[in-house]
Amino acid sequence: QVQLVESGGGLVQPGGSLRLSCAASGDFIDITNMAWYRQAPGKQRELVARVTSGGSTNYAKSVTGRFTASRDNAKNTVYLQMNSLKPEDTAVYFCNAEIKRYYSLGYRDYWGQGTQVTVSS
């Protein structure tokens, strides 16, 4: 019905770059906020970046200046460009979106399956 699929994760060296993508598909009529979260082993899930439907963004302090979130509304896709990666960025990254389906009057959260990002020498 509605699904979010992340891609682009992998292994990268410190200081390197990686771009994540998340595409929404299914029977929906509107998406408001889209966001990236991450969770490292033994850590709480953390909001990394959020993008509104108009393209406004906000970031976690730990990634500000290094990560850039953007979206393509025509493709129902959100991106996360990650530069100057550090070992502490290692985590599973999850896509989140607030979506209204055809028969629903309100929005609800949907989550992707997650993609692993490992930053190591």
Side-chain angles (χ1 to χ4, degrees):
Q1 294 180 322
V2 177
Q3 61 179 339
L4 302 175
V5 179
E6 302 102 332
S7 62
L11 175 64
V12 65
Q13 295 182 348
S17 297
L18 209 59
R19 190 179 80 154
L20 306 183
S21 299
C22 171
S25 62
D27 57 337
F28 56 86
I29 60 173
D30 192 43
I31 302 176
T32 56
N33 298 320
M34 301 186 80
W36 290 97
Y37 290 78
R38 68 185 182 187
Q39 188 165 21
K43 300 290 186 179
Q44 294 286 333
R45 185 183 63 184
E46 174 189 24
L47 175 65
V48 177
R50 176 177 285 115
V51 193
T52 69
S53 59
S56 298
T57 58
N58 57 72
Y59 300 93
K61 292 181 180 180
S62 59
V63 307
T64 296
R66 299 188 297 119
F67 290 11
T68 302
S70 61
R71 63 192 286 174
D72 185 336
N73 290 337
K75 297 180 179 180
N76 296 313
T77 299
V78 62
Y79 305 94
L80 185 67
Q81 179 66 48
M82 304 183 293
N83 299 325
S84 302
L85 282 162
K86 305 174 181 179
E88 52 263 42
D89 295 318
T90 296
V92 178
Y93 285 71
F94 296 92
C95 179
N96 175 82
E98 298 175 358
I99 297 175
K100 179 183 288 186
R101 299 186 67 187
Y102 286 109
Y103 57 84
S104 177
L105 295 179
Y107 293 82
R108 60 161 287 183
D109 286 341
Y110 291 84
W111 292 88
Q113 79 286 352
T115 185
Q116 177 71 48
V117 172
T118 302
V119 184
S120 176
S121 299

